[in-house]
Amino acid sequence: MGASHLDEKALTELLKDLIRIDSVNPSLVPGAAGEAEIAGFIGGWMEALGLETHVYEVKPSRLNAVGVLRGAGGGRSLILNGHTDTVGVDYYEGDPFNPVVREGRLYGRGAIDMKSGLAASMSAVKALVDSGARLRGDVVLAAVCDEEYASIGTEALVKDYTADAAIVGEPTGGHVLVAHKGFAWVDVVTHGVAAHGSAFKVGVDAIAKMGQVLTSLESLGQLLLKENHPLVGPGSVHASIIEGGSELSTYPASCKLRLERRLIPGENQGTVEKEMSEMLRSIAEGDPKFMADHQVTFYRGPMEVSPKEPICRALVEGSDEVLGFKPLFVGGSGWLDTQIMTEKGVPSVSYGPNGDGAHAKEEWVDLKSVVDAAVVQEYAIKAFCGLV
């Protein structure tokens, strides 16, 4: 595929520029900056590179920036996707928007999650343009908003853009992530009978009834541990938030439990609905005063693509050829935007650098791993899309 044309110094400076821009997600932190400024910056960078550029609002002040490098035709198309938003910084130690390099590590909010992966993808596209190479297939470079909350950015992206495969530059330590878990948020409400605290013959305690739900959830969690996916491990369930009652001398009429169920490939929303319905029905069969209902309030499915997909082969071949490193096919416990694109028929994997401190008080990325991720993507784009 020829020598790399990556400019390592420019890559580091680009990453620093991205970190300097406050792009904290306002859905997580009310009043936060959002993605408008960083989308504008990236849009300008794309235009300067000569890409067909589209910077647009998904919702007010929530912007995507998309640039297309057109191919000559006859090749496969590829999306490079990275999110621009970050989590909050109130608990961050030091200045989160002042990138600092120490011993080969770059520190700052978004360093590993995931402005480094985005910078690597951007720099890989720039290297291709600088090399003068002509691709057969198109490359869509997407900087999307809101991955840290509801992924409205990638939801909007797949309405307007499609491709034969996608790479999301989330941190993977140089391995290829081909599977991850999904999740469902569920509200369970138990219903009691409100009565004076002395009226024990009348009152039904909705909070006490929820105790049976909690016990059943613990049993479900133990059952889930028995089914182990080879890449992502078992599913799980946990109680997250519970609330109920009104005053000390009143039997509580209702109690609400909010729980999270993590799903493995092969499970779906129907799996959760069946589990919850059967659990509540089983409790009611043993307790005539037990009344409850449930509702799935938010759902994101698990994801799995075959390691035999051409994009997987291109990344493994590129890493082996350029770095002398044979990456593994791995899974992740967290949910990623790869699921949205894979569900839309675009086989999507994650491939990115190494670091630590995502969502933590100190965040860093190994700069060499960012360079490595960029040169491997440069190679993989050529191999996947084809050269004229």
Side-chain angles (χ1 to χ4, degrees):
M1 293 295 167
S4 172
H5 284 74
L6 185 79
D7 185 333
E8 295 185 18
K9 183 178 179 181
L11 168 54
T12 300
E13 291 306 310
L14 173 61
L15 176 53
K16 288 180 178 179
D17 286 340
L18 295 178
I19 289 174
R20 289 187 184 105
I21 300 173
D22 178 355
S23 56
V24 172
N25 190 316
S27 294
L28 296 175
V29 181
E35 304 91 349
E37 182 181 354
I38 197 167
F41 173 87
I42 293 171
W45 184 95
M46 290 173 171
E47 287 183 344
L49 194 61
L51 306 183
E52 296 178 16
T53 303
H54 185 202
V55 179
Y56 60 100
E57 273 194 342
V58 178
K59 288 185 177 179
S61 79
R62 314 302 302 277
L63 278 69
N64 282 354
V66 181
V68 181
L69 178 63
R70 292 290 176 194
R76 291 175 295 212
S77 56
L78 181 65
I79 293 174
L80 304 176
N81 176 305
H83 68 84
T84 55
D85 62 315
T86 73
V87 295
V89 297
D90 288 349
Y91 51 90
Y92 195 89
E93 292 186 353
D95 186 345
F97 307 120
N98 179 30
V100 175
V101 177
R102 297 195 302 268
E103 298 178 346
R105 296 175 174 182
L106 190 149
Y107 292 79
R109 177 56 87 217
I112 191 63
D113 187 17
M114 59 158 291
K115 292 180 177 181
S116 55
L118 178 57
S121 294
M122 293 169 67
S123 298
V125 174
K126 184 177 187 301
L128 286 168
V129 172
D130 291 346
S131 73
R134 188 76 192 280
L135 299 174
R136 293 188 181 278
D138 296 345
V139 177
V140 179
L141 179 60
V144 299
C145 64
D146 193 51
E147 189 274 346
E148 297 289 3
Y149 186 70
S151 292
I152 62 173
T154 295
E155 291 274 16
L157 177 74
V158 297
K159 291 178 182 177
D160 298 323
Y161 298 90
T162 189
D164 296 298
I167 300 170
V168 176
E170 293 275 11
T172 63
H175 297 295
V176 182
L177 188 147
V178 295
H180 64 67
K181 292 183 179 181
F183 67 93
W185 293 341
V186 185
D187 285 356
V188 177
V189 178
T190 50
H191 303 284
V193 176
H196 191 277
S198 64
F200 64 91
K201 292 183 179 181
V202 178
V204 176
D205 186 343
I207 296 175
K209 298 301 182 186
M210 187 62 80
Q212 297 180 71
V213 177
L214 295 171
T215 300
S216 295
L217 279 181
E218 190 168 18
S219 297
L220 174 60
Q222 293 300 312
L223 187 64
L224 294 174
L225 293 176
K226 296 179 180 180
E227 187 172 347
N228 202 57
H229 186 277
L231 293 180
V232 305
S236 62
V237 64
H238 70 271
S240 304
I241 302 169
I242 191 167
E243 53 191 9
S246 57
E247 55 196 22
L248 284 171
S249 290
T250 302
Y251 276 79
S254 69
C255 180
K256 178 189 283 188
L257 171 69
R258 301 177 67 185
L259 64 90
E260 181 180 73
R261 169 73 159 87
R262 288 279 166 168
L263 301 108
I264 62 176
E267 297 179 326
N268 54 38
Q269 185 167 342
T271 307
V272 180
E273 295 281 7
K274 183 180 179 182
E275 287 173 349
M276 293 297 110
S277 295
E278 290 182 351
M279 179 182 70
L280 298 181
R281 183 168 59 249
S282 177
I283 297 171
E285 287 173 353
D287 181 355
K289 290 188 175 182
F290 180 86
M291 292 185 295
D293 50 59
H294 80 276
Q295 179 182 10
V296 176
T297 59
F298 192 72
Y299 170 80
R300 290 295 192 189
M303 187 281 300
E304 185 171 27
V305 300
S306 170
K308 295 181 180 179
E309 285 285 346
I311 189 58
C312 296
R313 295 200 302 269
L315 286 167
V316 170
E317 180 184 292
S319 181
D320 198 17
E321 181 75 21
V322 176
L323 306 178
F325 172 69
K326 189 75 173 287
L328 301 174
F329 293 113
V330 298
S333 57
W335 184 90
L336 301 171
D337 276 351
T338 45
Q339 187 271 336
I340 293 174
M341 292 184 291
T342 299
E343 189 176 51
K344 291 291 186 179
V346 182
S348 303
V349 299
S350 289
Y351 177 79
N354 181 51
D356 201 2
H359 299 210
K361 63 183 181 181
E362 185 178 65
E363 184 175 353
W364 60 270
V365 67
D366 178 82
L367 283 173
K368 182 182 182 302
S369 74
V370 184
V371 172
D372 289 348
V375 295
V376 170
Q377 287 189 55
E378 179 189 2
Y379 182 103
I381 294 166
K382 295 177 190 175
F384 185 81
C385 297
L387 291 170
V388 174

